[in-house]
Amino acid sequence: MTAGEPALRGDYSRAGPDYAVEQQWDRYTEADHALYRRLYQRQSHLVRRFACTEYLQSLERLQAGGAIPRFDAVSARLRAATRWELVAVPGLIPNHAFFDHLAHRRFPVTVWLRRPEEFDYIVEPDVFHDFFGHVPLLFDPVFADYLQAYGEGGLKAERLNAIDYLARLYWFTVEFGLVMSGAGLRAYGAGLLSSPLELPYSVEDPAPARLPFDLMRIMRTPYVIDRMQERYFVIDNFDQLFDATAADFAPLYARLTQDVSG
Ligand code: HBI
Ligand code: FE
């Protein structure tokens, strides 16, 4: 996205100022749909053991395992459920556009699918990660409100030069969050739900630390993007997440900046 970073794979030439594109569903090949089905098959077995119930209920209702979904059809159902919709994007988009979509209850979903040799892992988000990982929880009313609030917080953090702190909150909740439910420890983060290796690891492996959700600690914790995480933060429920992040972050950012400079 900035000079020096490796090029992103998507086609950005047709993207508007908000980075929206047409999904062009007819351009997916039968091989794309077959690869998507294989990814979905494997992962749907794993999530039954390791995902939170809110996620599983929505995934079940979506019935989206047969082919790469049509975003328009899913948006119609989402609008009825939580007033969210999907917007097709070429891949990672700049922070401002990303936050603005979330603040308006639009979730950006990448249009392209990974290559077969990337079956187990891909660094950039693709349609499987974005759809399988993120979309089911948009049907949960509390999580849906949290994500909108995160987008609004992102627009504010931009003005306060605090995006690096806020991005950690997204990372340790929306992407890699765990929840302690009645049934035990479960995953709700999309990076976990869409990963065949890290999903069981995050819930069962003795190696990583599992810490109680702590907003300030999260915003002080750097993360790596291309390895298993060394720590996860555990919430009790989505209300806790929404309530803990409802306050004005400006004084928190001021404290975090002071930590660093002195
Ligand atoms: N773009 N498509 C897409 N998906 C993301 O998850 C995403 C993004 N742009 C920026 C971004 N994430 C994060 O860096 C922000 O949460 C900070
Ligand atoms: Fe993601």
Side-chain angles (χ1 to χ4, degrees), residues 129-130 134 175 190:
H129 164 82
D130 281 340
H134 288 285
E175 294 293 353

Side-chain angles (χ1 to χ4, degrees), residues 11 14 23-29 32:
D11 174 12
R14 288 165 206 267
Q23 185 186 12
Q24 296 188 292
W25 191 85
D26 295 329
R27 304 232 322 221
Y28 296 121
T29 63
D32 291 332

